[in-house]
Amino acid sequence: MLKALLVVAALAAAVAVFLVLTYVRRSFFSRSGSVAMAARLSKHMEGRGWAPGFAVYERGTLRWYRMFSLAFGPRYSLSREDLQIADRRVPAGPEAQIFPPEVAILRCKNSSGEVELAMTTSAVTGFLSWLEAAPPGAAFYSDRE
């Protein structure tokens, strides 16, 4: 009986440590401003494979981090210079069950491949503004650093 209680206590402590570290990580990245955004990590099943996360806009790069991960590096780094939006759609099929109606799904392409991002329509507006609003000469100055 005592062993079972110790195992349960150890599991509860491990879950609590994981949640605290996840919260600290999220707070650290939120200082510079972040946007809630889901990314599709797997396309094996139609409408499945979505992971919740958040994106941070840093200079000319969007960095997407998984919500429930202890990794400090981003899962995706999307450069503004190389990024194109291939498609915009509303959630369909199984996706309509996990996303609210005000979510839009963007299929984005860059030189390293393709990624699907799901975000609210207000976040889409901010994303499109960021994508299109590079200051004049930004490519020139970023090459000199």
Side-chain angles (χ1 to χ4, degrees), residues 1-72:
M1 181 70 171
L2 183 61
K3 282 185 180 181
L5 285 175
L6 288 174
V7 168
V8 169
L11 282 172
V15 168
V17 166
F18 175 77
L19 291 175
V20 166
L21 289 175
T22 301
Y23 175 77
V24 167
R25 177 179 166 267
R26 167 82 168 140
S27 298
F28 175 76
F29 289 119
S30 293
R31 286 186 211 163
S32 58
S34 63
V35 178
M37 190 179 295
R40 190 167 183 189
L41 303 179
S42 171
K43 295 183 180 179
H44 295 308
M45 293 177 59
E46 186 67 30
R48 303 284 185 211
W50 290 98
F54 55 93
V56 177
Y57 297 103
E58 294 177 356
R59 291 188 167 186
T61 305
L62 176 121
R63 299 184 194 291
W64 184 83
Y65 300 88
R66 286 187 74 146
M67 182 72 66
F68 301 106
S69 172
L70 296 178
F72 271 92

Side-chain angles (χ1 to χ4, degrees), residues 40 45-50 87-106 116-119:
R40 190 167 183 189
M45 293 177 59
E46 186 67 30
R48 303 284 185 211
W50 290 98
D87 187 29
R88 179 179 177 169
R89 63 183 176 85
V90 295
E95 295 170 338
Q97 296 175 354
I98 58 173
F99 293 123
E102 64 271 1
V103 167
I105 298 174
L106 302 176
E116 283 186 302
L117 301 172
M119 60 191 95

